[in-house]
Amino acid sequence: MTDSLDPRVPVTVLTGFLGSGKTTLLNRILTEQHGLRIAVIENEFGEVGVDDALVLDAQEEIFEMNNGCICCTVRGDLIRILSALMRQKNRFDRIVIETTGLADPAPVAQTFFMDDELGSQLRLDAIVTLVDAAHITAHLDEVKPEGVENEAVEQIAFADRIVLNKTDLVGADELTEVTDRIRGINAVAPILPALQAGVTLAEILDVGAFDLQRVLDFDPTFLVETEHCHDLSVTSVGLEIPGEVDVEKLNTWLGELLSTKGADIFRSKGILAPAGSATEYVFQGVHMLFDGAEGREWGERERVNRMVFIGRNLDRDQLDASFRACVVSQ
Amino acid sequence: MNTATASPLTSAATWSAHLDDRPVAIAVSASLIAVLGGDGQLLILSAAGAILDRVTLPVAGLVAAWSPDGRLLAVGGPTGAAIWTATNGLVPLPGHGWCAALAWADAGRLAVATGRSAHVYDAAGATVPVLSWQTPPAASTVTGLTWLRDGRELAVAAYGGVTCFTKTRPKPARRFDYTGSLLDIAASSDGRWLVSGNQDASVHIWRTRDGDELEMSGFPGKVSAVEFHSAGRWLYADGGDQPTIWDFAGTGPRGRQPAMLRLGGLVGSTRYAWHPQEPLVAAADSIGEVGLWEAPSLAAGELNAPQVTLVAAGEPVTALAWFNADALIVATEAGDIFFLGTSGA
């Protein structure tokens, strides 16, 4: 569980294709005996209906900000609905936003970065993507016209938790194959196998995936495991370099990287050892929106810089070389 | 011009009442006070503080406005709007959709934001308004409405700009584009100026005659409320926690700096109210202070402390309204409603 001192209401974003089990999972979330007041914002007319929960319909309204930056698109419908929820007397303990199978998760996540009023009262907790084990491969392989995103790939790339649902519909080999395929796109998010969306709610709700203090809260062994999927255009690149970084050089590089490649970089996370600082610097980004803070004290630990990028057409060697150029030798 | 600084308003409430909800809007007629809560509780009070009715809107409450003749109260919420009257209580209007904006014109015409459209009802002489016409869908949910040309033209704000419609023609009469998310609009009483407050922390101003535009960006946060004083010269615009007053005298605000209002705590969008006659604005903050500022004596480009500070509530104020010309109604987060009358009353 995350820091209980944070009074902000956690918001879970639930993505996944029609038929992946979102409605089943929502009903599980709503009916389990947890004593929480939950508000659900849904895009699709599901069969969700529980007496105690507030269910609101949202029609996707994607707003570009006036600066013309495609990465700064937000969901106007969510700003409107969440603002109204925050003005209610009886606050909710949790908010779950269900997106359509075809929705781009980026504007949903960016909404929480771009609206200060919401950001002060709500915190994006995690993007949870449901995947139908039997059909995901076909969705991932679907060839889209030039310039059109494959939503299934995007939803996996953006995820903080991936519920691999309907595992009973595939054999053991196929399950391994599907798992590897998902790993190739997103090497960071834990994969939770499930039957009828039966996951432990603590594994997907209030997990603090966007909590800067929990950035890179994952098993670093993935860093060496991702190479075998180089044929995919959307991949994860993990970098780990010992030493301390020159903050100015790093800022210049990251600033340039995110402004030129931001549209291709879905998620980024990192823990850094800035030269001359006794504490970690932790950051994470969604496209070119970026959030950073001081982390823990380094103490006696060896100074190591770790970064992860999940995105399209990532050049690992180039990222690695640029990152290394920012490291000052000890 | 009266020196309203000498306002005999008192910090001691003449009466108080309670709403079992978090107040989001206060609407006043000449004799009645309506307080709407975020959960949808609606309280109708007399000028003396007697509770006349207590009803609940479905889902939630967003906005409330009395008809100019004070007979009908329109209220809006996420699933639509309703009309409250003393005789019929709360009667829902037929349109279904998000309603966060209402605009009455004289002669009983009511514009209601209904999802992506605006519905216009005719309420003249009737207790149940009748749907008269509606606008084609906008690019997003309608966020602001205001009448122009004595109620003959309706300006509708949504993502991408303001579109103006008249009853007789289905095509837009005029269009004022802006690539961004508009949160509220206001028109000066003479119809010369149209102003939007925007999600991107800017205020956009159009001269309606020729569409000449002006923009002020760089507010600390989104501008979710803009409102002209009834005489039209002064504009209130919130912007994050920094409310401003703009002077539209003469050729307009171009080249002028707005005056900034300073209070002790944070100021939000619904916690302000123009005096019905004087160019006097009241604003309240998150620590329960209510300040009064006379627009003509504000220093442009500077932070202006209130000319009068009333310590009303001691807890965050979430809605504020003038009652006639001589009392303020202050509602707090906890649902306490205070009527601050004149000391001689």
Side-chain angles (χ1 to χ4, degrees):
Chain A
M1 293 285 129
T2 48
D3 186 357
S4 57
L5 293 176
D6 191 339
R8 295 177 301 165
V9 179
V11 180
T12 305
V13 177
L14 209 55
T15 75
F17 270 48
L18 201 63
S20 60
K22 276 181 297 176
T23 304
T24 312
L25 181 57
L26 264 180
N27 278 320
R28 275 195 113 96
I29 291 171
L30 292 173
T31 49
E32 197 149 298
Q33 295 299 314
H34 42 52
L36 299 171
R37 277 194 93 224
I38 298 179
V40 176
I41 298 170
E42 46 168 15
N43 274 154
E44 288 166 321
F45 293 101
E47 303 85 61
V48 177
V50 173
D51 288 348
D52 251 358
L54 177 68
V55 180
L56 292 164
D57 296 332
Q59 293 260 334
E60 195 175 34
E61 291 180 359
I62 294 184
F63 293 171
E64 277 173 41
M65 302 308 259
N66 196 41
N67 59 19
C69 164
I70 194 74
C71 296
C72 299
T73 51
V74 298
R75 285 279 297 271
D77 54 325
L78 294 179
I79 294 177
R80 180 165 46 79
I81 292 170
L82 291 170
S83 299
L85 283 181
M86 289 301 101
R87 275 184 230 117
Q88 299 201 339
K89 182 191 176 212
N90 296 310
R91 294 293 181 91
F92 292 88
D93 304 306
R94 297 277 185 284
I95 296 171
V96 179
I97 298 169
E98 180 198 1
T99 71
T100 66
L102 299 177
D104 179 358
V108 181
Q110 286 164 182
T111 297
F112 293 87
F113 284 76
M114 296 296 286
D115 192 293
D116 292 344
E117 191 187 0
L118 291 186
S120 67
Q121 300 179 77
L122 303 172
R123 64 177 172 82
L124 181 55
D125 182 61
I127 297 173
V128 177
T129 298
L130 266 97
V131 164
D132 174 343
H135 293 104
I136 188 63
T137 310
H139 288 309
L140 293 175
D141 287 338
E142 197 176 319
V143 178
K144 297 279 175 174
E146 188 69 25
V148 176
E149 303 296 342
N150 182 316
E151 297 89 354
V153 175
E154 282 203 338
Q155 290 174 359
I156 288 174
F158 264 100
D160 297 295
R161 298 288 184 275
I162 295 164
V163 178
L164 182 55
N165 198 23
K166 308 191 181 180
T167 50
D168 55 331
L169 299 183
V170 293
D173 289 352
E174 202 181 334
L175 196 60
T176 311
E177 213 171 283
V178 167
T179 307
D180 285 349
R181 191 73 193 274
I182 294 169
R183 273 275 157 270
I185 297 167
N186 186 333
V188 184
I191 298 175
L192 312 166
L195 295 174
Q196 294 177 18
V199 288
T200 309
L201 294 189
E203 288 186 291
I204 56 164
L205 293 184
D206 203 6
V207 295
F210 281 82
D211 183 347
L212 281 172
Q213 303 309 325
R214 306 188 62 168
V215 160
L216 295 190
D217 217 5
F218 57 81
D219 179 1
T221 54
F222 87 90
L223 292 168
V224 292
E225 283 180 5
T226 57
E227 292 297 343
H228 58 87
C229 292
H230 50 85
D231 58 322
L232 285 175
S233 71
V234 176
T235 54
S236 302
V237 170
L239 306 171
E240 184 170 297
I241 301 172
E244 294 187 331
V245 290
D246 181 319
V247 175
E248 209 168 302
K249 278 186 187 171
L250 187 89
N251 278 340
T252 308
W253 169 56
L254 276 181
E256 197 184 301
L257 181 73
L258 292 179
S259 66
T260 56
K261 293 256 310 166
D264 280 343
I265 296 174
F266 299 155
R267 301 284 297 264
S268 57
K269 297 181 177 198
I271 296 183
L272 304 170
S277 169
T279 52
E280 302 168 340
Y281 178 77
V282 292
F283 76 89
Q284 67 162 316
V286 173
H287 285 311
M288 56 182 66
L289 302 176
F290 185 89
D291 192 13
E294 282 201 340
R296 292 169 299 173
E297 296 256 341
W298 279 104
E300 294 304 305
R301 288 179 295 146
E302 188 202 354
R303 302 289 210 273
V304 177
N305 301 281
R306 293 157 69 201
M307 258 194 237
V308 180
F309 298 99
I310 301 175
R312 195 187 298 116
N313 304 321
L314 298 179
D315 184 336
R316 164 183 278 274
D317 294 338
Q318 201 191 337
L319 290 170
D320 188 68
S322 304
F323 191 14
R324 272 179 204 283
C326 302
V327 176
V328 287
S329 44
Q330 278 183 310
Chain B
M1 193 168 295
N2 267 359
T3 46
T5 354
S7 163
L9 275 177
T10 163
S11 297
T14 309
W15 53 260
S16 66
H18 186 76
L19 178 75
D20 186 24
D21 198 347
R22 184 177 187 274
V24 293
I26 303 173
V28 293
S29 70
S31 58
L32 296 179
I33 300 155
V35 184
L36 178 65
D39 283 356
Q41 298 286 328
L42 175 66
L43 199 59
I44 310 288
L45 297 156
S46 74
I51 294 173
L52 304 179
D53 200 3
R54 198 195 292 268
V55 289
T56 307
L57 273 69
V59 190
L62 296 171
V63 64
W66 287 97
S67 60
D69 63 8
R71 284 189 312 120
L72 285 73
L73 174 74
V75 288
T79 54
I83 296 288
W84 181 92
T85 51
T87 42
N88 296 347
L90 200 64
V91 177
L93 290 174
H96 184 91
W98 192 274
C99 174
L102 298 163
W104 285 97
D106 286 337
R109 205 167 307 139
L110 170 65
V112 177
T114 309
R116 293 186 181 211
S117 298
H119 289 195
V120 178
Y121 294 86
D122 186 1
T127 50
V128 180
V130 180
L131 184 62
S132 168
W133 56 283
Q134 66 188 72
T135 67
S140 76
T141 298
V142 171
T143 54
L145 295 170
T146 191
W147 288 99
L148 300 168
R149 300 197 295 135
D150 298 322
R152 279 175 290 143
E153 187 175 343
L154 178 66
V156 178
Y159 177 74
V162 180
T163 319
C164 302
F165 296 92
T166 55
K167 178 181 179 178
T168 45
R169 292 194 314 169
K171 287 251 160 77
R174 288 187 281 185
R175 167 123 191 117
F176 301 97
D177 290 315
Y178 177 66
T179 312
S181 171
L182 283 69
L183 302 177
D184 193 18
I185 49 167
S188 60
S189 50
D190 59 7
R192 278 186 75 198
W193 303 101
L194 195 58
V195 178
S196 72
N198 308 315
Q199 174 77 30
D200 61 11
S202 73
V203 167
H204 205 88
I205 299 163
W206 290 274
R207 191 165 58 199
T208 52
R209 171 167 56 82
D210 55 5
D212 186 34
E213 353 176 29
L214 174 63
E215 185 173 310
M216 162 97 176
S217 54
F219 281 83
K222 61 182 170 186
V223 181
S224 50
V226 286
E227 188 182 333
F228 276 96
H229 173 247
S230 56
R233 174 175 169 184
W234 307 96
L235 175 87
Y236 174 95
D238 75 351
D241 286 314
Q242 182 53 68
T244 53
I245 301 289
W246 294 65
D247 186 356
F248 277 68
T251 54
R254 189 181 292 278
R256 290 188 193 135
Q257 298 250 27
M260 293 169 279
L261 308 184
R262 193 187 72 209
L263 268 171
L266 302 176
V267 182
S269 60
T270 57
R271 306 158 187 158
Y272 76 95
W274 278 115
H275 189 275
Q277 287 123 34
E278 305 300 326
L280 175 71
V281 72
D285 68 10
S286 60
I287 56 171
E289 279 183 13
V290 182
L292 301 178
W293 292 260
E294 272 189 304
S297 46
L298 293 173
E302 288 176 29
L303 268 177
N304 291 265
Q307 281 127 1
V308 175
T309 304
L310 303 166
V311 182
E315 51 175 308
V317 173
T318 56
L320 188 66
W322 288 93
F323 184 69
N324 294 327
D326 55 4
L328 265 177
I329 300 154
V330 179
T332 71
E333 194 165 47
D336 293 320
I337 301 157
F338 300 101
F339 184 95
L340 308 184
T342 52
S343 50

